[in-house]
Amino acid sequence: GWPGSGGIRGGAAMDLFGDLRRMNKRQLYYQVLNFAMIVSSALMIWKGLIVVTGSESPIVVVLSGSMEPAFHRGDLLFLTNFHDDPIRAGEIVVFKVEGRDIPIVHRVIKVHEKGNGNIKFLTKGDNNEVDDRGLYKEGQNWLEKKDVVGRARGFLPYVGMVTIIMNDYPKFKYALLAVMGAYVLLKRES
């Protein structure tokens, strides 16, 4: 009877191996779905924030030192953009200028209100010597409400440094993405 029992042991090992393979495949699918859920949840939260805040970019990172000491490079700003709110001097706005990809975070220093409710305003960085007319498109001396992406309502200091590092060093971005992807795929359910 010895050879027979050897046969049984071999069969059990094969079964176990098959189970493992099936489990790993299932676990891999599970991790991929998990990852997809994380991504879609993040997108849903972002879209929700856009609706709630009225701003197309509810969260922005300060990229330059032009607003120090109010905000520093890497601060994360939370924006709202309700069109009924009047724009006032002293307020910090994020605006986009034609011909520039990146929105600018600066303070409103002058506001002109016309009788029909039309508003024009001028901005300046707290840390800059001159106002922003040099930044606006040629021939434009004032901003209007349509140029505003949002107004600063709150901030978290330095949380956006990761974004700046990723912009300045693209290799860091790919390394970070690779590590995050590997973590999600390799993380075992405890």
Side-chain angles (χ1 to χ4, degrees):
W2 287 114
S5 63
I8 291 166
R9 200 180 300 126
M14 287 303 286
D15 275 357
L16 186 72
F17 189 65
D19 281 351
L20 262 176
R21 244 196 357 230
R22 273 194 296 279
M23 196 173 83
N24 276 351
K25 202 174 267 180
R26 186 190 284 148
Q27 245 176 351
L28 182 71
Y29 289 144
Y30 178 77
Q31 297 296 6
V32 168
L33 281 173
N34 213 2
F35 188 63
M37 255 174 60
I38 291 168
V39 171
S40 55
S41 301
L43 285 171
M44 278 165 56
I45 290 168
W46 182 252
K47 287 288 181 203
L49 277 173
I50 289 176
V51 171
V52 170
T53 61
S55 170
E56 63 193 68
S57 317
I59 299 172
V60 294
V61 175
V62 179
L63 295 175
S64 78
S66 65
M67 278 301 290
E68 289 173 5
F71 299 125
H72 294 84
R73 247 185 124 210
D75 288 356
L76 204 66
L77 297 188
F78 299 101
L79 310 179
T80 61
N81 197 18
F82 302 120
H83 283 283
D84 307 338
D85 283 5
I87 287 178
R88 295 278 173 249
E91 217 178 352
I92 293 167
V93 295
V94 177
F95 61 91
K96 215 163 162 28
V97 181
E98 267 180 66
R100 282 176 177 268
D101 295 339
I102 297 173
I104 299 168
V105 184
H106 280 173
R107 194 181 298 275
V108 176
I109 56 168
K110 277 186 192 156
V111 178
H112 277 289
E113 209 160 342
K114 298 226 180 79
N116 61 4
N118 249 356
I119 292 180
K120 292 187 168 200
F121 55 93
L122 180 62
T123 53
K124 174 183 173 295
D126 290 359
N127 202 11
N128 292 352
E129 293 293 312
V130 292
D131 63 39
D132 289 345
R133 286 198 169 121
L135 298 174
Y136 303 160
K137 74 168 196 260
E138 216 166 307
Q140 180 181 10
N141 288 328
W142 302 91
L143 290 177
E144 290 170 48
K145 249 184 171 164
K146 64 173 173 50
D147 301 314
V148 174
V149 177
R151 299 145 200 223
R153 291 286 180 241
F155 77 104
L156 282 173
Y158 300 118
V159 175
M161 263 337 256
V162 180
T163 315
I164 289 185
I165 294 168
M166 289 197 306
N167 279 341
D168 292 354
Y169 309 102
K171 284 195 180 105
F172 176 80
K173 175 165 47 184
Y174 298 122
L176 190 72
L177 286 172
V179 167
M180 281 164 59
Y183 173 75
V184 170
L185 289 175
L186 301 175
K187 192 178 65 127
R188 288 275 170 268
E189 279 306 295
S190 45

